[in-house]
Structure formats: structure tokens, C-alpha cells
Amino acid sequence: MTAVQRVMRRARRLRPEGLPWRAPTWPASLERAAPQRHLGVDYDTEWTRRYPARLARAIILDNVTRPLAHIVASPEVRGEEMLALVEAPAIYVANHASHVDTGLLLSVLPPHVRHKTVVAAAADHFFDRRWKAHVWSLVLAAIPIERHRVNRKSAEDTAALLRQGWNLIIYPEGGRSHDGWFQAMRGGAAYLATRTGRPVVPVHIEGTYRIWPRGGTRPRRSPTRITLGSPIVAAEGEDARRLEARIDAVLATMADEARTDWWTARRHAAAGETPSPQGPAASPWRRAWALGPDPHGADEDDETRWALAED
Amino acid sequence: MSPRPGFVLEVDRSTPSTLFWHGEGYRLEKLPVGSRVLYAPEPVDALSDPVSAIRRALQEPLGDAEPLRSQLRPGMALTIAFDDVSLPLPPMRAPDVRQLVIEQVLEMAAEAGVDDVVLIAALALHRRMTDAELRHALGGRVFDAFAPHGLLWQHDAEDPDQLVHLGLTDQGEDVEINKRAAASDLLVYVNINLVAMDGGHKSVATGLASYKSLRHHHNAHTMAHSRSFMDQHRSELHSSNWRMGRLIAASGVKVFQIETNLNTDTFPEQFRFLQRREWEWTARDRAGFLASSKALQATPERVARAIFHSIRAPHRMSSVQAGEVEAVHARTTENVYAQQLLEVEGQSDILTMGLPYICPYNVNSIMNPILVACLGLGYFFNMYRGEPLVRAGGVVIMSHPTPWAFHPGHHPSYIDFFEQVLAETTDPAEIGKYEESFATDPWYVHLYRTGNAYHGVHPFYMWYWCAHALEHVGAVIIVGGDRAAVRRLGFKPASSMADALEMASDVVGRDPSITHLHSPPLLMADVR
Amino acid sequence: MKGLVFERNLPRFAASRVVSAFGGSGRGVAVGPLRLTDVEPPELPGPQWHRVRPLLAGICGSDLSTLDGRSSRYFEDVVSFPFVPGHEVVGTLDDTDARVVIEPVLGCVARGVVPPCAACAEGRTGGCERVAFGHLAPGLQIGFCTDTGGGWSAAGLVAHDAQVHPVPDEFSDDDAVMVEPTACAVHAVVGARVDPAHTVAVLGAGTLGLCTVAAMEHLAQPGQLLVGARYAHQRRLAEELGADVVVDPGQLVRAVRRSSRSLEASRTLTSGADVVIDCVGSDESLAQALSMVRPRGRVVLVGMPGRVTVDLASLWHREVAMAGAYAYGTEELNGSSRRTFDVALEVVAAKGLGRLVSARYPIDRFEEALAHAGAAGRRGAVKVVFDLRARDRHRGTRPSTKGPVP
């Protein structure tokens, strides 16, 4: 018997079997209900909006997330002056290409917004395990929403939060881009805007697909640009569908602006010629090709001559 | 200043020592008075605007071919095949020539709306390339657009479902190539031409072929009758590939060949003393030589190897031509000769050469003894037109550490070939009886198809490459090599150049004439 | 009369172990429990016993292991101290002057155990259950028993009728001293159940390895015989004795792989040799043997192993059988029962195994002899023996039946 095994055996003798040393077992003759697991949309995030959690989150956001975002993504922000015109709380809608989008967007928003914002996160991805639910709701103020089905509860809860004064970040695509282009957008943001009457701020995040795309193994540093647009307010009696169409058009124009320039994008919008942000209807290689060369040229030219060759 | 042509130096008492490659290192040796040293022509100028040159070549093809853009239409099946990691040597600085050419081809394909495009690395029986090597050759944009969707293939010569047999040439040679390439509406081949053997019909007929096809010209008989295999007019290897290439064209496979010439600017600034004539070395060059050769002697083998294999060469495209295979290749060959050819009067008794750390078959890998023999007696020996540089029965002296070391992942069949086949016989004509068992061994096939190993039969090809030299010369001596390894190859080990010359005079007589092949850069001798 | 005696002396045992670990096998003799001293000829235990005067006495790997202190503690109960080592003996009978070889195993018959145990009743004396009982002191064999004496002494030894085999006249003394190790090899080969379609690999080309090659070629003629031999003289001998492929031990797995056209997974061949005979008995050789045997194949351990640590996962998963092969007795060959020693005599004659004797030493140069035996491979030798023949009798009178004159 090895030394390790002898030590283990001795350790076991210190804590004998049975009550009170170990947790009790349940008698076979008694019925026991299945354990209640509050996960997914049932997870209660109330505790993360109380003062101690808010303090902890503020400390993490300002001292960890922000510096990290600036190092990894070097964001260039456009249009933050527009936020002065926005009446809090507001709904921020953005395109979604990478997990770094949320941290990055929170980092560039002004402090009074940043510390009073919740983020709509997919219940099946971020709230499926207890530890994940705890971590993301604390660090990012994530709230679970059902993205594959319409769920009254999550919609009601979110509307309630908006009325309480919390800003909301939501991604209409429902998930990260598969190939760098937008996916079809859903109407959740528009619905909330018409229900609560809050303004919608469109945001375009450019460059995070290069940092850590869906399916990527590790993040790569790359510069990004974040454009904040003018707030969109639902007109009197406007229904959710019309508002959704308006929001989609604005995001498409902002995407066009990121690839060309503001003036060209305006002219396209005026002529109704804004190219679809979902990319050309073609084979996957042509869609990837149409994304264009890396504007920051961060490809192979920085190979150092003395780097050891890979096996 | 225009590049100077090559010339032949006759060593006299004022001539300084000559630089010899010695694997992962170099030495200065004093050659006896009266020896000839062959200096290559200096590198020709590179193209100042390669992208426009490529576009022009694609729009103005040579021979009986239409401009590329007009051959592309929606709904067609397009295949782009490209040379694998064995070219260029050493690997180029980014952007690689293949990246520049393929990006232009894909721009045209995107414009034309071609959806069905596949890229194939034309490996023949070489090893599969790693992702990093593919990314370096093709560039990040192309790699990221094709690899994640499974549209970047590596030719698998052992998958019967991926091969198609096109028939027999009039000499009874099987022509069996990659099925996707053969069945496409258009096959574009992107080639890099480093030496006169590359390119032409060999690109498709060898690069995309199977063992069944290759054994018709990769054998001892063909190689012994290719004198040299760099000279199209006297190479059996060339004629066989041409027959196969013409059959491929006749079977309806449309090939649009794009060939590029590279200049011979082989080494970056720190190593420029390697390419300079010794009497023109400045104080900086001498300091560079001393510092690096001393440092390298002190570094462990693995580290020295890693350092050398990370060198990226500054050679650049000097010319690009596209269109019909034979017309394109004629122009390419002219350019190769213009860059590399050197006139030499007569043969000599002894040929000396220093062997570098790299050959086409050990990029990012270990140079094992079989590859040392192939580089010296295969490639360098055959860089001639007319007659070999050394007379029949003469001696070849090579300088390389020749370690008894093999890369088990890249060269597994080489280990068994060295331990078991060469222990029995070193005659290229005799080893043939084991070829079949190595070629069909299931383990080697498995490693070739799923790992990064050269095909089981490949060490035999390396030995066949030496067939002409082994038949021609009287003895081969390796200076500074591992004694057991050198003896296993059937050669003689010598510890210094002086000892080697002593041993050589036992074979060729007292006072022999000596020719030294000074490389880098590459040169081809036109021996009268 | 002078002889070498092995006494029970724990400090010296330990000292020998340390010295041999650093200096090499056989080097610890000077500090070990083996002494050159005056020895009395042993008493005849009974009427059927004979006195034997040794001519040549071999040094075996098991002797070296015992002297180095490396042998397993398993043997403590079946050895009695003090004893005279030496169990590979060719000598002359005191009463008739006939030349004989000794079959050293002390079975029930020799020990006077009636009725004999099951093994001895069948003739499998090597498997005797009574080696620690009977009217003799405990002892596996002559050469490990205090009552019988042993080969390494001029005083001689005593042997029972059943342990004495006459040597044919055409045998030289060298040939005769090789009979006992050949008998071990024969027993191992028969037990391995090799048939002509099989591929067999032999690890180790010392005395036992080479005798195994010889026995294999003579009795079983397998399809392919591959041998791993570290030294050039061993390789040459293995080829002469009929091995098909002889390579350095590091290359043996690759040679077996090519021969069986096998694939590799988990550092083990997926196919492999049908039978692997391990004549080394170390951690590395056992691991190597398991990696090159085919699923449901046999690994046979010949020659005494020590304490080894081996990963048995591949043995379990591939249903490999691992068996020991000890000593000799009676063999079933081609339907008939024959004493192993008779078969061994045949093999020695057919293959000329006398040429494996590389060096002969007198008893008083025992330190050199044992150091030479311990480093035999490195020093170009195979079998080292003690020469106890009288000075006036010149060496090598009778030439070997085959092979070059030494």
C-alpha cells in the first residue's frame, strides 16, 4: 500500500459514517419531492439589484471589465454626445457578434447609465447551471429571457424593471452571428418599448467578430468601433411591428455607415438602397469573402523572425 | 545597380576561405589552390507591383487559353490547386505568392458569382500541411473563408473515392488523379517555380496523382536516365510527366496554369553574408558570421533547428505568367535559366558542396540522413545541364552533421527504411523489392491520411533521386557527419575537409581538380 | 580443498546490493557474502547418491542475481545457508570416472519423499512441491542447498541417480556445460506452444536468449523469428543460430510492427508477434514484451525476474497470457514423453552450442570471473564458466561438434 493510500485511510477514520458527521439519508418508505431548481427563466435575480451586489458589480465593472475591454478591444466611440438627450431609463439595442459585446458596451456607456443597467441574456445559455447564473447576474447584471419561445413572465419582469428605472441592453438577433453578418432580428425590444413607452437607443458594435467569434478558441486583440445612434421613441399609438421595422432600418443604415461612411449611408437610406446587413444570398465562402479584408491589417505581417516555429 | 551574373572563381593564394553550409550552421574552409568555386548570379529584381502583374497575367494568358474572367460563370465547379509546403525554400515572408495569386482569382470568382469553389493542396505523397502552414501560404482571408466550411482540402492519394483513373499513356503509364480536380469545369493551378524541375505538366500529373501513377516515373530506372532531371530535354522524369499531362488535357480536364518565378534573394539582413562573395564581406558581415556561428555551436540542436526553421526568406516574385500549360512553362523555364544558369567549362575530379538545414521534405522538421543524401546527390548534383560537374568515377564531398535523428511524426517510414532496408543494401535498383510492402503498409497509410506523415513509399523516392549520382560517381564522402549514420548510407565519414580530400585522392588520384558549388543562392551549371 | 561458499550475512548482503547497483552486476562480490575458503566434501545422503568431481561449472544469471542481492525474497524459504553455488555442472563420477552432466533440481525422488508429489509423479521435477521438505535441507537445486555442495568448489558435490546424465563422447566439456541452460530454453520453447505459422520475438540475447533461439529453430521452426540483441557479437551469433531478423532492442518493436503489418495505438501494436519470449526480466523488457505481443498471444518469462512494476492494462484488454518457464523435467514432443535433458543434449549437438562458452576462470580468480559474467554482453562474451579441471589435463581436448574451435 502506498503512503498516499495510508494517509487517505487514516483521514477517513477521522470523519466516521452516519449522522451527525454526514448529511442524513432519506428513509425509503417516505416520499420525497424532487428538488426545486430555480434555473433558466425561474432564476430570481432580485438579489443582484440590492445595494451590496450593486456595489460589488460597480467595483468589478470599473476596475476589471473596463480596463480589460480597453486592452483587448481598444474601442473608438462615436455619438456618445447623443446620450445627453436620452431620458433614462432607455432600451439599448445592438448587433451581436461575440461574447465580448456586453462587457465592451457597458465599458463605453457613461457611469450613471452603466451602473443602472440590466442585460437581457439567453436563459438556456447563461442560466442553465447555478454557478453560471450567480456569476453572470452579479458581474453583468444579466436577467434571463427566453429566446426560443414567447414567455410572458420574462417579458413582464423586464417591463417591470424598466418602470423601476433600470436601463436595458438587449440584442434583437437573439444570439451571436455565425459568419460576421447580422441574423434575422426579433421584436422583443419593440414590444417592450411600446409597452413601457421608453426610448430605444440603437448601437452598432463593429469589430468584435474578429476578437472572439462564435466557435473561436481564444480571444485576439483587435480594435473596435462603437456607434451610438439617436434615440427612437414610439409615436402615439404606434404598434410594435412598425416600431420594429423602424429600429431594423436604423441598424441597417448604421451597419452601412460602418462599411462606407455616414454620408454614403444617408444617401443609400434616402434612396432605399441600404444593403441588407444580413449579407449577400450566396454560398458561405462568398459571404465570408464579402466581409472584405481586415481593415486593420492585423494578419501575418507581424510574424517575428525569431519566433520558434510551430510543430 | 543591376544584378551581376554568376562566374567561376579560380582559387589562388590570395583567395580567402570559402563559406560552406553545414546543416544548422556554417563553416569557412580553405580550398586548395587551383580549385574552382561557382558563384551564382545575383538575384534579379522583384516585381514592384505584383498584384497588377498578376491581374495582367490572368487577363492576358499565354498559349491557347481565354482570359480567366471569361471562363468563370455562375453554377460552375471551380477547383484551385496549389503547391504545398515544400516550396519555396525557405518559406517566404508574408504575403506568400500563393496568397496574392489566389486572392486575385477569388476576386474574379466572387464577381462572377461562382459558388462551388474548392481549394486543394497538391501534396501528391507528401505530408499534409498544418493549419498554421496553410494560413501562411494562403493568407488569413482565404483560410478563414474556406477552411471552416470544409472547402480547403489536402489531396489524399490513398482514398479511392477521391481518385479517378483517366487511362494509360502510349507507354502504358497509368494516369490517376484527384477526382474533384478532374471533374471540375475549370482547374486553376497556382505554382511557385524554384528550380527548373517544377511546374508545367508536373504540377497536375504529379501533384494531384496517386501511387499507381507516380511509380511509373518515380523509380530507379527513370531517375538514372534523367541526366539531369533539371534539363527538360534529357529528363525521363520530364517526358513521362509530359505524356501524362497531355493525356489529362485530352481527357477533357481544363487546366488554367499560373506559374510564378521567384528571385533568389534567399536570406534576410542578418544572414546576408551567406549570399555575398567572401572577398566582399564588410566588417559587419564578418561580425555577423562570427557571432552567429559561435552562438550556434553553443545552442542545443533543437533550439538551433527552431531558429533556422523560423527564418522567412525575402525572395519575391520576379515574373508571373498564366494560361495554357506548355506555353506558360516555356516562359517560366526561360526565366529560371536567366536567374540561375552559369556556364562552366568542363568537369572536375571532385565536387564539393555544403548542405543547408533545409530541403523540400523537412520544412519545420528534422533533416534525417536519407534527406541529406537526397539533397546532395539528388538535388544539388543534378543542378546541371549537359554533363555533371564531376566526372564519371569522381568523388562528391558533402558537408553536413548528418545526425542519426528522425522526426517520428513526419517521417515514420524513413526510420524503418533506414534501419531495415539500407542495412541490407544501398543500391537503388535493389531496394525495389521492399517498395510494395512499404507502399501498402496500413500503418503508414493511416499516418499519411490522418496525421502529418510522408507516405510510406516516400523514402524510396528519396533514394531513387540519388540513382543517377550513385551510378556516376566513384565515392561519396560526408565531412563532419555522424559516423554510424554516414556508414549506413554507404558513404565514407571524414572529420575535416582536409581528411576528406586525402580520402578522395585514394579514388581519383593525386592532385585532383576540385569544383565547389557555392550556395546560397541556387545556381544551375551549364557544363560544356 | 578450496571452494566458494555463500553464507547468510545480512550486512554483507546489503553491501553487495549497494556496490552492484553502482558498479554493475557481479562487482559486489568483494564485499558480499561469498567467500573462497576450505570446504569439506559433502556427505553422501544415501545409497543411491554419487560423488561428482566438477570439470566445468557455469555462472548463471540467477547466481549473479543472488550474489548482487537482487533476487526476490520469495526464494528465502527454498534456499539453505551456507551453500556452495554452481548448478550448471559437467563433471566425472567418483566411482566410475564417467563424464556426466547434473540435473540440479532436487525433487521428491532425490529427497526421498514417498509417495512423490503430483508433479514429480508426472516427471515434471521442476514443479516439485517438496523442495523445502524431505530428508535434505531446503533447496531448489544443487547449488542452493547446504547438504549437497555445488559446482564452484574443488571438493565437489553429491548427486542422486536420477540427477545424473551421461555425456556422449563426441561432446566437448564446453558443449556439456551448455546442456543445463539449453534445457531451460527447451522447456520454455515447448511450453510456449509455437507452431510454424507463428511470429516469435525474443528479447535478450545473452546465454538464455541464444539458447532459446537455438531451441526454437531446432524444435519449433516458427514462421518468423525476430531477436533483439544489444551487442554485435550477440547479433552475429543469433543470425548464425537461425534467427530471421536480428536488430538492436530499441528497434525491435518497429521490426515486429513491419513484420506483422500492424497499426499502433496507445503505444502498443494492434496486432503483433504470436509469442514473445522475455529473457531479460526487467521493467522495460516486460513493458516492451506486452507492447509487441498480439491480442490473445503469449508472453513467456524465461530466466529469473526480480521485483518489477508493469502496467497490466494492455494485458487485460487484449487478453494476453503471461506465463513463467522454470527449469525442466519432462516434455511432450510429437506425442512422446522425453526428459528435457535428453532433448537438450540433442539441441546442443545439432547447433554446436559449445561455442557460446567465451571465458574460463579458475576458482581463485572468482572476483574477475563474476565481474566478467556480470558484464558479459559489454565485454563481448556470452557464457563464463569456472574451470576446475586438473592442471595437467589440457584445455579443449575434444573439439565442439559444430562451430569454430575456441
Side-chain angles (χ1 to χ4, degrees):
Chain A
M1 221 194 322
T2 64
V4 176
Q5 285 170 321
R6 277 197 288 268
V7 168
M8 300 271 291
R9 191 175 274 204
R10 218 163 280 160
R12 270 195 284 264
R13 270 186 242 132
L14 287 174
R15 192 162 153 241
E17 302 283 341
L19 220 51
W21 307 102
R22 299 180 194 258
T25 49
W26 198 265
S29 51
L30 294 179
E31 272 228 37
R32 190 181 189 186
Q36 288 187 313
R37 296 174 218 275
H38 290 290
L39 287 177
V41 288
D42 297 324
Y43 183 77
D44 186 4
T45 53
E46 182 54 41
W47 68 277
T48 63
R49 288 182 286 279
R50 288 203 211 109
Y51 186 66
R54 286 180 62 187
L55 181 61
R57 180 164 55 248
I59 293 174
I60 295 173
L61 264 180
D62 284 354
N63 299 300
V64 178
T65 316
R66 271 196 90 208
L68 214 55
H70 281 274
I71 292 172
V72 172
S74 319
E76 185 196 333
V77 186
R78 300 266 189 88
E80 71 268 29
E81 64 274 11
M82 296 305 199
L83 290 180
L85 306 173
V86 176
E87 220 183 271
I91 303 173
Y92 293 82
V93 300
N95 60 316
H96 200 23
S98 165
H99 279 317
V100 303
D101 286 339
T102 306
L104 184 60
L105 182 51
L106 283 171
S107 304
V108 304
L109 289 171
H112 65 272
V113 177
R114 187 190 322 143
H115 295 142
K116 198 97 197 287
T117 302
V118 292
V119 182
D124 58 288
H125 188 86
F126 290 97
F127 289 87
D128 56 340
R129 312 259 280 198
R130 287 208 79 76
W131 67 269
K132 278 163 107 173
H134 295 330
V135 167
W136 298 123
S137 55
L138 175 66
V139 173
L140 295 176
I143 54 169
I145 54 160
E146 187 72 62
R147 58 176 167 174
H148 297 301
R149 293 187 299 260
V150 174
N151 186 311
R152 282 213 73 87
K153 180 174 182 302
S154 49
E156 288 302 322
D157 290 347
T158 317
L161 283 174
L162 278 165
R163 284 192 206 100
Q164 285 168 30
W166 286 85
N167 295 288
L168 172 71
I169 294 179
I170 186 167
Y171 300 104
E173 286 172 78
R176 291 168 297 161
S177 164
H178 290 271
D179 58 2
W181 296 101
F182 284 24
Q183 298 175 86
M185 298 200 243
R186 304 169 204 212
Y191 173 73
L192 286 167
T194 46
R195 285 284 314 262
T196 58
R198 306 311 318 158
V200 174
V201 178
V203 182
H204 184 264
I205 304 177
E206 188 270 325
T208 48
Y209 187 68
R210 279 190 308 275
I211 293 180
W212 199 350
R214 182 189 266 261
T217 39
R218 60 177 184 86
R220 302 181 122 91
R221 293 185 57 200
S222 184
T224 53
R225 182 191 297 166
I226 303 182
T227 313
L228 298 156
S230 306
I232 305 169
V233 184
E236 195 63 43
E238 188 174 9
D239 81 340
R241 275 203 203 286
R242 288 263 287 278
L243 184 59
E244 186 191 336
R246 268 214 286 159
I247 296 173
D248 287 356
V250 169
L251 281 173
T253 307
M254 291 173 81
D256 189 17
E257 178 186 331
R259 301 183 58 134
T260 54
D261 61 76
W262 181 81
W263 177 233
T264 313
R266 291 279 145 268
R267 284 183 294 149
H268 284 163
E273 284 168 3
T274 308
S276 166
Q278 292 176 29
S283 60
W285 87 264
R286 279 178 51 207
R287 283 169 64 83
W289 200 249
L291 278 176
D294 182 354
H296 305 281
D299 249 327
E300 303 297 309
D301 298 34
D302 58 344
E303 281 178 331
T304 55
R305 255 164 249 145
W306 297 98
L308 298 185
E310 287 159 319
D311 254 12
Chain B
M1 213 176 64
S2 70
R4 294 179 291 179
F7 79 113
V8 180
L9 172 76
E10 189 161 316
V11 174
D12 58 26
R13 296 207 188 284
S14 331
T15 310
S17 312
T18 316
L19 182 78
F20 273 61
W21 263 121
H22 187 72
E24 285 92 10
Y26 18 77
R27 302 181 166 180
L28 283 169
E29 307 272 12
K30 231 166 176 8
L31 288 168
V33 170
S35 317
R36 296 188 300 186
V37 183
L38 306 185
Y39 285 94
E42 288 189 338
V44 300
D45 294 323
L47 291 170
S48 49
D49 188 356
V51 175
S52 315
I54 295 170
R55 284 216 197 98
R56 208 174 324 122
L58 296 179
Q59 278 155 0
E60 296 161 22
L62 302 175
D64 178 21
E66 287 174 28
L68 181 62
R69 182 66 184 79
S70 65
Q71 296 194 49
L72 298 172
R73 55 185 191 284
M76 74 182 287
L78 172 67
T79 302
I80 305 178
F82 56 93
D83 278 339
D84 74 335
V85 76
S86 34
L87 290 159
L89 295 176
M92 272 175 95
R93 273 195 204 148
D96 189 283
V97 159
R98 287 164 287 211
Q99 173 183 342
L100 294 174
V101 174
I102 293 181
E103 279 184 359
Q104 293 310 310
V105 174
L106 286 174
E107 280 293 335
M108 291 190 178
E111 256 175 64
V114 181
D115 275 327
D116 184 5
V117 181
V118 169
L119 268 53
I120 307 186
L123 310 169
L125 299 183
H126 295 175
R127 68 167 172 87
R128 287 154 42 89
M129 292 167 73
T130 62
D131 278 355
E133 288 165 349
L134 285 166
R135 189 181 272 274
H136 179 83
L138 299 172
R141 242 188 114 193
V142 174
F143 185 85
D144 289 333
F146 282 80
H149 304 294
L151 296 174
L152 175 55
W153 297 0
Q154 308 214 45
H155 175 63
D156 184 346
E158 285 290 334
D159 184 357
D161 294 331
Q162 277 192 47
L163 297 168
V164 64
H165 191 274
L166 295 177
L168 301 171
T169 65
D170 53 13
Q171 304 274 350
E173 299 150 317
D174 295 89
V175 179
E176 187 176 50
I177 65 167
N178 187 287
K179 187 187 274 186
R180 161 85 200 190
S184 309
D185 295 301
L186 182 64
L187 171 61
V188 174
Y189 196 98
V190 179
N191 144 288
I192 297 182
N193 243 75
L194 205 60
V195 292
M197 178 186 79
D198 304 327
H201 283 297
K202 185 166 178 288
S203 297
V204 176
T206 294
L208 292 171
S210 70
Y211 173 60
K212 205 163 163 189
S213 262
L214 289 170
R215 68 195 161 132
H216 289 290
H217 47 71
H218 277 50
N219 55 52
H221 177 91
T222 306
M223 298 318 293
H225 286 84
S226 298
R227 305 187 178 135
S228 70
F229 58 71
M230 299 290 180
D231 179 358
Q232 294 178 6
H233 304 290
R234 298 190 50 194
S235 166
E236 279 286 324
L237 178 68
H238 177 96
S239 355
S240 182
N241 272 291
W242 249 241
R243 285 192 289 274
M244 293 185 172
R246 287 182 180 149
L247 187 121
I248 291 171
S251 332
V253 180
K254 271 176 75 184
V255 179
F256 189 85
Q257 182 93 345
I258 307 174
E259 293 191 1
T260 59
N261 289 96
L262 289 184
N263 69 4
T264 50
D265 191 6
T266 327
F267 284 94
E269 265 306 292
Q270 304 87 310
F271 292 105
R272 68 176 193 175
F273 57 84
L274 289 171
Q275 294 198 175
R276 285 177 136 206
R277 296 151 187 198
E278 286 82 356
W279 54 94
E280 291 173 358
W281 281 14
T282 61
R284 239 187 97 199
D285 292 322
R286 289 182 322 197
F289 173 85
L290 272 172
S292 54
S293 61
K294 292 291 170 236
L296 282 166
Q297 277 166 23
T299 34
E301 230 174 75
R302 265 199 84 214
V303 178
R305 216 176 270 144
I307 293 175
F308 272 99
H309 282 280
S310 70
I311 293 178
R312 296 279 174 261
H315 43 205
R316 293 254 153 254
M317 205 159 61
S318 61
S319 156
V320 54
Q321 42 278 349
E324 189 268 315
V325 180
E326 297 187 21
V328 165
H329 193 62
R331 173 80 63 85
T332 309
T333 315
E334 266 173 45
N335 294 338
V336 170
Y337 287 162
Q339 166 73 91
Q340 296 178 3
L341 212 53
L342 170 68
E343 260 185 46
V344 178
E345 287 290 328
Q347 303 175 303
S348 60
D349 298 312
I350 299 180
L351 172 63
T352 61
M353 54 176 89
L355 298 180
Y357 63 95
I358 194 168
C359 75
Y361 313 108
N362 78 316
V363 179
N364 297 328
S365 184
I366 296 176
M367 188 134 157
N368 59 56
I370 298 169
L371 293 177
V372 172
C374 176
L375 183 61
L377 298 180
Y379 284 91
F380 282 130
F381 180 85
N382 279 279
M383 293 290 282
Y384 76 84
R385 201 165 71 160
E387 296 287 325
L389 281 164
V390 60
R391 66 162 170 85
V395 173
V396 172
I397 300 180
M398 313 194 286
S399 174
H400 192 278
T402 320
W404 187 309
F406 293 82
H407 193 297
H410 292 158
H411 301 117
S413 54
Y414 282 63
I415 306 178
D416 289 333
F417 179 81
F418 193 70
E419 286 176 355
Q420 292 165 30
V421 177
L422 285 185
E424 207 186 284
T425 171
T426 57
D427 185 346
E430 288 291 313
I431 59 176
K433 59 179 187 271
Y434 296 108
E435 189 183 316
E436 187 80 30
S437 80
F438 270 74
T440 53
D441 188 300
W443 181 233
Y444 300 145
V445 171
H446 171 79
L447 291 175
Y448 163 75
R449 293 191 66 185
T450 60
N452 293 94
Y454 280 83
H455 194 273
V457 79
H458 206 257
F460 286 80
Y461 292 170
M462 299 294 91
W463 208 250
Y464 295 149
W465 242 235
C466 308
H468 172 33
L470 288 174
E471 216 181 56
H472 184 86
V473 306
V476 180
I477 303 174
I478 297 191
V479 176
D482 175 286
R483 304 188 85 80
V486 172
R487 286 220 189 82
R488 177 59 63 88
L489 292 170
F491 308 153
K492 299 184 214 215
S495 26
S496 70
M497 182 59 73
D499 287 345
L501 290 169
E502 271 300 313
M503 287 160 65
S505 43
D506 287 344
V507 179
V508 292
R510 303 256 73 170
D511 237 354
S513 52
I514 303 174
T515 301
H516 173 66
L517 200 56
H518 189 279
S519 82
L522 283 169
L523 79 89
M524 189 158 150
D526 198 359
V527 183
R528 304 290 163 84
Chain C
M1 305 179 96
K2 290 284 182 194
L4 292 166
V5 179
F6 194 101
E7 288 172 339
R8 181 196 289 278
N9 187 325
L10 244 39
R12 287 186 158 263
F13 211 70
S16 172
R17 180 134 185 209
V18 171
V19 175
S20 65
F22 285 105
S25 177
R27 292 303 201 80
V29 193
V31 298
L34 188 71
R35 277 191 321 136
L36 180 65
T37 181
D38 279 311
V39 186
E40 288 297 319
E43 297 281 323
L44 283 168
Q48 287 165 312
W49 286 76
H50 309 267
R51 249 203 197 92
V52 179
R53 261 181 292 118
L55 296 168
L56 293 178
I59 302 175
C60 172
S62 57
D63 295 321
L64 285 169
S65 251
T66 312
L67 291 168
D68 287 342
R70 271 186 295 119
S71 57
S72 171
R73 299 194 61 179
Y74 171 85
F75 293 106
E76 276 175 14
D77 283 346
V78 290
V79 163
S80 50
F81 295 90
F83 64 87
V84 176
H87 57 271
E88 299 175 358
V89 184
V90 55
T92 50
L93 287 179
D94 227 5
D95 29 19
T96 59
D97 246 359
R99 220 164 41 133
V100 293
V101 279
I102 303 297
E103 186 176 333
V105 172
L106 294 165
C108 291
V109 175
R111 293 176 167 281
V113 173
V114 175
C117 68
C120 288
E122 288 173 27
R124 292 187 289 111
T125 41
C128 177
E129 300 166 27
R130 300 281 187 271
V131 286
F133 308 96
H135 72 251
L136 282 178
L140 285 173
Q141 303 181 350
I142 292 174
F144 293 98
C145 177
T146 193
D147 286 341
T148 57
W152 298 0
S153 128
L157 52 100
V158 292
H160 191 274
D161 246 353
Q163 295 178 291
V164 167
H165 294 263
V167 175
D169 283 337
E170 58 281 8
F171 268 45
S172 68
D173 290 342
D174 285 351
D175 290 322
V177 80
M178 290 305 300
V179 173
E180 198 270 349
T182 308
C184 294
V186 165
H187 182 71
V189 167
V190 175
R193 302 200 286 266
V194 175
D195 77 47
H198 279 172
T199 301
V200 178
V202 175
L203 280 138
T207 310
L208 217 37
L210 291 170
C211 290
T212 307
V213 172
M216 185 81 67
E217 284 297 317
H218 185 80
L219 298 171
Q221 284 113 29
Q224 265 251 313
L225 179 57
L226 299 104
V227 180
R230 193 180 300 278
Y231 301 102
H233 70 283
Q234 294 175 335
R235 287 198 279 270
R236 186 182 43 85
L237 283 163
E239 268 171 26
E240 282 175 25
L241 290 170
D244 296 304
V245 177
V246 183
V247 288
D248 190 271
Q251 302 174 5
L252 187 59
V253 180
R254 279 197 285 275
V256 172
R257 188 207 71 74
R258 265 211 0 106
S259 169
S260 58
R261 291 172 73 77
S262 156
L263 307 179
E264 256 185 56
S266 318
R267 263 172 273 159
T268 312
L269 300 184
T270 56
S271 174
D274 301 279
V275 176
V276 177
I277 306 202
D278 183 344
C279 303
V280 178
S282 67
D283 293 7
E284 296 82 36
S285 71
L286 274 178
Q288 198 183 26
L290 284 173
S291 77
M292 67 171 112
V293 69
R294 70 160 169 80
R296 310 194 108 212
R298 271 175 97 72
V299 173
V300 180
L301 266 55
V302 177
M304 192 172 92
R307 274 184 76 97
V308 293
T309 305
V310 66
D311 185 346
L312 292 178
S314 73
L315 179 126
W316 167 77
H317 178 244
R318 298 156 86 242
E319 300 189 340
V320 171
M322 188 184 284
Y326 165 69
Y328 20 71
T330 309
E331 312 295 342
E332 294 293 323
L333 269 182
N334 304 322
S336 60
S337 274
R338 298 176 62 191
R339 296 287 300 280
T340 318
F341 261 64
D342 295 330
V343 182
L345 284 163
E346 199 182 283
V347 174
V348 169
K351 292 289 186 176
L353 291 179
R355 61 187 146 149
L356 296 184
V357 177
S358 315
R360 299 161 203 76
Y361 285 86
I363 292 262
D364 34 19
R365 285 169 60 202
F366 71 98
E367 291 107 333
E368 284 173 56
L370 290 164
H372 196 167
R378 221 172 345 110
R379 289 169 64 170
V382 182
K383 170 64 78 183
V384 178
V385 304
F386 282 116
D387 189 339
L388 293 114
R389 293 175 291 205
R391 291 283 150 192
D392 55 346
R393 193 175 157 151
H394 51 97
R395 315 249 165 117
T397 23
R398 280 170 252 228
S400 300
T401 44
K402 248 197 192 132
V405 176

